[in-house]
Amino acid sequence: MPELPEVEITARLIDGAIRGARVESALTPGINALKSYDPPLGAIEGHTITGVRRRGKLFMIDFDNDLTALIHLMSAGRLQLFDTRASLRDKTSRLLIRLDDGRELRLREFGTKQRAWVKLMRTDQVEDEGTVAALGPEAWPDPPDLTTLLDGSPRPLYAALRDQHVIAGIGRSWVDEILHTAMLSPFKRGSDLDPDEADSLREAIVARLGGAIAHYEDVVSLPIPDKLPMPLTVHRRNGEPCPRCGDRLEAVFYEDYVMCYCPTCQTDGKLMKDRRLSRLLK
């Protein structure tokens, strides 16, 4: 799933390209994509886009009639701008916002699950929408003090930092990078962080997410590719040398994802167990 850096650069680029553009029509080929009905999607037709922004991993497209389209990519969605219009037979299309200059803002979703969604609502109601209201504070550019945020949390850091209700924007890819930068075990519990570790973790969050966004500013332009060139040094690089110490990066495999870490830098040399079989051993 695209995470904070990928959503941030996408919002910046699309905002710069379509702010002030007029909507000709709006369609939802994805039968389950539209999760609201009042106001109807047609309410944005003939109106001007005033901005594209994000909250956590969510997109918000604002219009001049005080409406906002809230978009959740889920695990396989992409928001992209095209110079030409998609065929209505394109099975990846979930939302099409067609501009009067011939361009098209397109929510696409790959795979078969089709869970990405859009809601059109009054702009002043967006912060009260359930998904938005449940989000924790932003992970970037100014995350909160983590000693306070994670105080009393019994969960491992790799789980707590990916919980959008705790802190918004971090997912599986960047949590590996952040914990490696902070030299903290993925299985260390939030409640066990001392103040210095909490400070190091906060600094790592700012550095890694901010560094990724700066990287994208240099290498990504419109049209936004389906897959961004993520500057990852740890995630999914198990078996390769650690970029800090040269030890072999290891991984913990779960049923549907992998978590990578350096034993020397993060776990005092301890190798973590494969979790793919854990449900079978219960």
Side-chain angles (χ1 to χ4, degrees), residues 15-30:
D15 176 73
I18 67 172
R19 182 187 288 260
R22 181 175 175 275
V23 177
E24 177 185 295
S25 62
L27 308 168
T28 50

Side-chain angles (χ1 to χ4, degrees), residues 33-257:
L34 187 62
K35 300 297 185 183
S36 62
Y37 62 91
D38 184 21
L41 189 60
I44 64 175
E45 294 177 358
H47 288 276
T48 298
I49 295 172
T50 59
V52 179
R53 54 196 171 101
R54 70 155 188 90
R55 172 75 167 93
K57 304 178 187 180
L58 306 176
F59 286 105
M60 299 175 185
I61 305 171
D62 297 319
F63 302 91
D64 67 356
N65 58 344
D66 297 323
L67 295 181
T68 295
L70 176 67
I71 296 174
H72 196 321
L73 301 178
M74 298 304 287
S75 61
R78 299 291 186 274
L79 186 66
Q80 295 166 297
L81 180 65
F82 293 92
D83 290 333
T84 58
R85 295 177 174 179
S87 165
L88 295 182
R89 294 191 298 270
D90 179 4
K91 294 182 179 180
T92 68
S93 294
R94 307 285 280 144
L95 168 71
L96 306 176
I97 298 178
R98 292 177 166 176
L99 308 179
D100 63 3
D101 60 9
R103 294 180 297 167
E104 181 176 83
L105 185 60
R106 197 179 306 164
L107 172 61
R108 303 170 72 209
E109 187 171 19
F110 303 92
T112 59
K113 292 185 178 180
Q114 296 196 355
R115 296 185 299 166
W117 54 258
V118 57
K119 292 181 180 180
L120 184 66
M121 60 188 67
R122 292 187 54 83
T123 302
D124 60 7
Q125 296 175 342
V126 171
E127 291 300 321
D128 295 326
E129 189 276 335
T131 303
V132 178
L135 290 175
E138 288 286 321
W140 182 89
D142 187 26
D145 176 73
L146 297 185
T147 305
T148 302
L149 186 70
L150 299 176
D151 183 42
S153 173
R155 291 187 297 169
L157 290 175
Y158 84 92
L161 293 177
R162 288 170 39 227
D163 186 340
Q164 302 306 294
H165 300 139
V166 174
I167 188 167
I170 303 171
R172 295 171 185 169
S173 299
W174 289 108
V175 74
D176 283 356
E177 304 293 317
I178 289 165
L179 291 173
H180 179 264
T181 297
M183 300 180 70
L184 290 170
S185 169
F187 291 98
K188 189 179 185 69
R189 300 188 182 279
S191 55
D192 293 336
L193 284 177
D194 64 39
D196 288 342
E197 290 173 329
D199 287 344
S200 294
L201 181 56
R202 185 182 184 279
E203 290 172 3
I205 291 172
V206 174
R208 293 314 306 265
L209 299 183
I213 293 167
H215 171 76
Y216 290 145
E217 288 276 14
D218 289 338
V219 303
V220 178
S221 59
L222 295 173
I224 297 169
D226 293 345
K227 291 185 178 181
L228 295 183
M230 300 178 73
L232 302 173
T233 59
V234 177
H235 183 68
R236 291 198 175 276
R237 293 187 178 275
N238 47 301
E240 298 181 16
C242 169
R244 180 188 293 116
C245 73
D247 191 10
R248 174 189 167 97
L249 294 174
E250 299 292 345
V252 178
F253 292 91
Y254 292 82
E255 186 175 355
D256 58 354
Y257 69 96

